[in-house]
Amino acid sequence: MLDIQSLRTNLPFVAERLALRGVTLDTAAFEALEAERKRLQVHTQDLQARRNTLSKQIGMLKGKGEDASAVMTEVAGLGDALKVGEAALAELMPRFDAFLELIPNLPHESVPVGKDETGNVEVLRWGTPRAIAAPRDHVDLGTALGGLDFEAGVKISGARFTVMKGRIARLHRALTQFMLDLHTLTQFMLDLHTGEHGYTEVYTPYLVNPESMFGTGQLPKFEEDLFMVPRSDGGKLYLIPTAEVPVTNLVRGEILAGDSLPLKFVAHTPCFRSEAGSYGKDTRGMIRQHQFDKVELVQMVRPDQSWEALEQLTGHAEAVLQKLELPYRKVALCTGDMGFSAAKTYDLEVWLPAQNTYREISSCSNFESFQARRMQARFRNEKNKPELLHTLNGSGLAVGRTLVAVLENYQNEDGSITVPAVLRPWMGGAEKISAA
RNA sequence: GGAGGGGUGGCAGAGUGGUCGAAUGUACCUGACUCGAAAUCAGGCGAUGUCGCAAGGCAUCCGUGGGUUCGAAUCCCACCCCCUCCGCCA
């Protein structure tokens, strides 16, 4: 959510920045709402003030045992006007809030201007794709190895669900879990992030309430992208589309001590996305699923440190790719391609030989105070006053897509997969995965 | 699921219809004392919104939402959450 003051005092600027995102701010509608709000609020609060003053007089008169009937008659005359004013305000304010809540964040000045993904700017390339003659994709490779079963996923749940088996499942676990078994790759990811990067591991609920979804910006605008679980009492829970939601909401409604920042969390969770509106996209393979695992990095920082933190956090995600020796590129999303809540986003795209292109495997964003304002997440600043903190997050990494990248980049001519050296401790020392 | 208890400021904890945004303690800030610190003493210290050039004023907030009343932290209704015990359960 944007700062309402910025709209009041600098509406043309806000509209101009939003226009870069392809969003047209209805400034006339805002000004009308604001004028109405001001008129009603001043009027109603004035009536409330008079009522309060007179009521206090009644209390004082009665305390002294004097007659208060004249004052009581006077205050009774305020009743109707007050009720009308309060009712009008109660009707207006939700409309006012709804208007604000649907406005996306303003892009940071360093964000390249563009209208869609073609406007994104490559910041760097790391690694050189290995020359692979006639590369096979992860579907062929995984199916041939008996480790990916797309038909089973369809039978059990439907399109965009996959079953993993055997050593591929273990490879995925190696890429995902920390302490479930003796050695896993997510343990490697989590070890890297908790050990070398200073993050605290958290385990969170996978079902969250609407307030949490509002806090990070998924609601109210993007409900169709979520899986909703109705409760017997009429309430709702949502399956998390990313660990960003439960982890960031850890600080919702809190006023943190200034010296507790920055907070850095890492969480491994499944992620659930309905993928509404992407019916024809990436229908083959594991690229776009309703359920996938992700290791997520989240930071809460002081406002003056969030831009440094974004570079740092992105570097942490890059380190995973570098240790896996997967070629990737780092892209600064342009104004027209950024998500609703982000002020700036870097995507990391990993090389996929079978697609002969780079595909998104991580998205790292600084939300500045946009989420914090929705969540009322604050810290005590130098003046001991509550101040909104800044939030950031990034995938470190999406595990399913990392598995795809490992299968495709480490494939051998005979269809076997070389296990990346850094993963072998979590694969029982295995150097290769081959058929039977 | 059953029975009981409870949700008040950063924390602890008073307050059961009126001068209560709320005693007190603690934390924190400022000052005094000190070479400095601790201790002690004095003063200050909630949040949000809003009006105003400013000084400052006003409104709202005592789990949430309704209601009663001239007036609600306090009374009524519903809901949420926490704690204790019993039952059930991985």
Side-chain angles (χ1 to χ4, degrees), chain A residues 43 57 75 104 123 133 135 142 151 160 163 178 220 244 266 288 372 407:
Chain A
H43 175 67
Q57 281 181 24
V75 76
V123 176
E151 291 174 7
R160 299 196 189 282
V163 171
F178 197 106
E244 162 193 354
V266 58
R288 191 176 299 274
L407 293 177

Side-chain angles (χ1 to χ4, degrees), chain A residues 69-89:
Chain A
S69 58
V71 184
M72 288 181 74
T73 305
E74 188 179 351
V75 76
L78 293 175
D80 284 348
L82 193 53
K83 279 203 174 95
V84 168
E86 284 176 341
L89 256 189

Side-chain angles (χ1 to χ4, degrees), chain A residues 311-346:
Chain A
E311 299 300 322
Q312 183 198 64
L313 183 148
T314 308
H316 293 156
E318 289 178 65
V320 179
L321 288 162
Q322 291 174 6
K323 298 220 173 196
L324 285 168
E325 300 184 69
L326 290 169
Y328 70 92
R329 62 177 203 147
K330 177 180 173 183
V331 173
L333 295 192
C334 73
T335 51
D337 199 32
M338 282 199 306
F340 180 76
S341 303
K344 181 169 186 173
T345 299
Y346 288 118

